[in-house]
Amino acid sequence: MERTDFIENRTDVIKNIYTLYSYLRSNSEEERDWALNRCKQGKWYIVEPFGNMLFFAPSRFVGYKNNNIAKHTENHGDGTQTNEYFRRNKLYKISENEFLSKQFKNFMLSIGIKKESAQFFIPYNQDISDLQSDHKCYFICPTHCSGQKEDAWKSFFKKGIMAIGWNDTDYSNYNFGRNNKRICG
């Protein structure tokens, strides 16, 4: 079945990667098994650096906006469409490299999967040397300045910077006036 709710940018992809890995780390055996099966069945994987670690996620799952178990189970879409979307929109490019293959095998073993082969997409504006170099990963809170919380969060959102909070609440349709005390207080 065809899906047209493609991601718009790398931030959307990263959000889906976090969703998939939250299932892998879930207390629910059903969620863990579902996520492990997605990782086992993948043929093409998106590669994203997080600090000094590379994360690998099946391109079909991360290629659709705000994907989750329910949406993916109802209609998993077509990996050839997501892969073409990544290339056409210059979000990711194909990369074949022994370094990626080795990192992939190690990553998959870390989640209990033995998988020998895969194909990879890396961020369009990066090359293998970027993925091999050390990275720093900072988590910053844009709300430390009194009276400037709203502007800080809007700035993060506008610039495509991922802001991570501690609640499992979806703030996609966040309204500063209505929810401000709950989030910031």
Side-chain angles (χ1 to χ4, degrees), residues 5-130:
D5 58 328
F6 295 106
I7 52 90
E8 296 174 13
N9 50 48
R10 279 182 59 203
T11 302
D12 290 341
V13 171
I14 292 167
K15 184 176 178 182
N16 284 339
I17 292 171
Y18 275 114
T19 298
L20 184 65
Y21 289 102
S22 74
Y23 297 145
L24 287 171
R25 302 294 180 225
S26 173
N27 291 328
S28 163
E29 187 175 338
E30 184 179 330
E31 286 182 354
R32 277 193 318 275
D33 288 346
W34 186 90
L36 285 168
N37 283 329
R38 297 298 72 71
C39 292
K40 286 177 192 174
Q41 294 170 358
K43 295 180 178 120
W44 286 89
Y45 292 81
I46 295 294
V47 181
E48 276 290 347
F50 290 89
N52 284 326
M53 185 174 176
L54 296 180
F55 276 38
F56 297 84
S59 63
R60 183 171 63 182
F61 180 81
V62 300
Y64 296 105
K65 185 107 173 161
N66 298 315
N67 215 358
N68 58 40
I69 289 175
K71 287 170 104 174
H72 197 78
T73 301
E74 180 182 325
N75 182 353
H76 58 71
D78 182 342
T80 58
Q81 288 181 334
T82 56
N83 292 351
E84 174 58 28
Y85 186 86
F86 293 136
R87 287 191 300 264
R88 183 178 63 244
N89 291 290
K90 297 183 178 180
L91 295 170
Y92 294 90
K93 61 187 176 187
I94 295 172
S95 181
E96 295 181 32
N97 182 277
E98 185 59 35
F99 170 77
L100 288 178
S101 296
K102 183 178 178 183
Q103 294 296 311
F104 174 75
K105 283 172 74 173
N106 290 338
F107 183 82
M108 295 302 269
L109 285 173
S110 78
I111 59 173
I113 297 173
K114 185 174 182 178
K115 186 167 176 122
E116 294 296 320
S117 64
Q119 295 177 295
F120 307 107
F121 283 103
I122 65 172
Y124 187 80
N125 62 347
Q126 295 183 358
D127 58 31
I128 295 299
S129 65
D130 294 320

Side-chain angles (χ1 to χ4, degrees), residues 138-156:
Y138 296 101
F139 291 93
I140 57 175
C141 177
T143 60
H144 68 284
C145 298
S146 179
Q148 300 198 11
K149 294 176 183 181
E150 181 176 347
D151 290 338
W153 282 108
K154 283 181 180 178
S155 173
F156 268 45

